[in-house]
Amino acid sequence: MLALNATNLLTAWEQGIAQHPLQRAVTLLALAWPEKTTDEWAGVSIGERDRGLLQLRETLFGAKFEAIASCPKCSERLELTFSTQDLLARGATTASEPLRLTSGGYEVDYRVPTTDDLLAVAGNPGQARELLMERCVEARNDGVAVSASTLPDEVVRLLGQKMADADPQAEVQILLTCPACSHHWPTVFDILSYLWGEIEDWAQRLLQDVHSLASAYGWSERDILSMSATRRRLYLEMVGA
Ligand SMILES: [Zn+2]
């Protein structure tokens, strides 16, 4: 992994502001692992993307996560803490090769979705599922090619299940228990929106720090950003910011 620094992370954040959230993931991953281009990162499975984002998040902000939830049954507020390990699907790897499903006279070759696929259907949320199927699935009925949109519901359901099984890191669920009423429920954890929120907070604080130090000492933004975080903090304490 590249040694990330304040300057290039701030630049990635600035780029990301104008981007679709799915593109932000690719921007961050290509910054952290430049051995893959942004196009290559957009072509990896969502599970592989999210394993990368989890690793990046641990490097930037540590392994501990904090979040707030409210019980759907009694509205009790829950303060959650969990770790990177809790979010890694155990032993999970993504099936990168095309897979095959045979059901009810249908033979279906399919692969798991990538960021490219999600971006391609993002403008059409009402039909996202059908469009995603068309991109990731090649189906035949009795040897004759058929459109994915004509597949019976049962085959589509099976395919959805098989795709999820083939890329278990793509959707992480956390099981929550309400301390007040003991209700249990699963919630989906999205590392991309969580990490982006943290980077936004970090960038705002950093720019505030640059402003304080530049005002006090007349240093340039470049000089301030190239300092270690420890040094910046010590100078900030000296100027009482
Ligand atoms: Zn409750």
Side-chain angles (χ1 to χ4, degrees):
M1 182 193 266
L2 177 76
L4 285 161
N5 58 48
T7 304
N8 60 22
L9 186 58
L10 198 62
T11 305
W13 163 74
E14 202 177 356
Q15 264 178 28
I17 293 172
Q19 289 178 328
H20 189 282
L22 290 162
Q23 279 165 333
R24 289 175 186 161
V26 170
T27 299
L28 291 173
L29 290 166
L31 172 69
W33 291 279
E35 56 270 32
K36 270 196 180 80
T37 64
T38 49
D39 284 351
E40 285 167 336
W41 274 114
V44 308
S45 73
I46 301 306
E48 192 178 338
R49 178 199 78 176
D50 285 1
R51 272 192 294 277
L53 291 174
L54 282 166
Q55 199 180 331
L56 175 60
R57 195 274 172 178
E58 189 167 314
T59 306
L60 292 173
F61 302 117
K64 194 177 148 194
F65 289 80
E66 287 175 346
I68 304 283
S70 69
C71 173
K73 217 170 166 188
C74 75
S75 304
E76 174 84 0
R77 200 177 113 107
L78 275 73
E79 284 176 14
L80 315 168
T81 52
F82 41 94
S83 69
T84 311
Q85 281 306 313
D86 298 329
L87 300 172
L88 286 168
R90 280 176 226 318
T93 49
T94 304
S96 51
E97 299 300 307
L99 301 160
R100 179 168 288 184
L101 167 74
T102 312
S103 171
Y106 288 88
E107 195 177 57
V108 185
D109 292 326
Y110 62 99
R111 60 179 177 78
V112 299
T114 65
T115 298
D116 272 336
D117 296 318
L118 297 189
L119 273 171
V121 308
N124 219 331
Q127 285 180 291
R129 196 183 156 85
E130 290 80 1
L131 294 172
L132 209 53
M133 280 284 173
E134 276 172 24
R135 289 180 63 92
C136 300
V137 164
E138 273 180 39
R140 289 171 300 281
N141 188 10
D142 290 329
V144 180
V146 293
S147 159
S149 60
T150 63
L151 289 170
D153 289 349
E154 175 58 13
V155 177
V156 172
R157 192 193 61 77
L158 258 177
L159 263 174
Q161 184 60 52
K162 295 266 182 195
M163 282 180 170
D165 292 349
D167 194 15
Q169 191 68 53
E171 186 177 285
V172 173
Q173 291 204 341
I174 312 177
L175 195 62
L176 303 180
T177 303
C178 173
C181 75
S182 301
H183 179 60
H184 298 282
W185 75 101
T187 189
V188 172
F189 178 80
D190 178 15
I191 178 61
L192 175 54
S193 61
Y194 190 98
L195 173 57
W196 188 258
E198 285 184 316
I199 290 175
E200 279 187 322
D201 292 346
W202 168 86
Q204 301 286 354
R205 281 195 309 272
L206 184 62
L207 291 179
Q208 182 62 53
D209 292 350
V210 169
H211 169 73
S212 300
L213 291 176
S215 304
Y217 295 106
W219 295 332
S220 70
E221 183 193 61
R222 184 203 288 207
D223 290 344
I224 296 168
L225 290 179
S226 65
M227 275 175 212
S228 70
T230 309
R231 236 187 243 203
R232 268 197 302 271
R233 198 185 62 245
L234 288 170
Y235 284 123
L236 282 165
E237 282 169 13
M238 288 180 215
V239 301

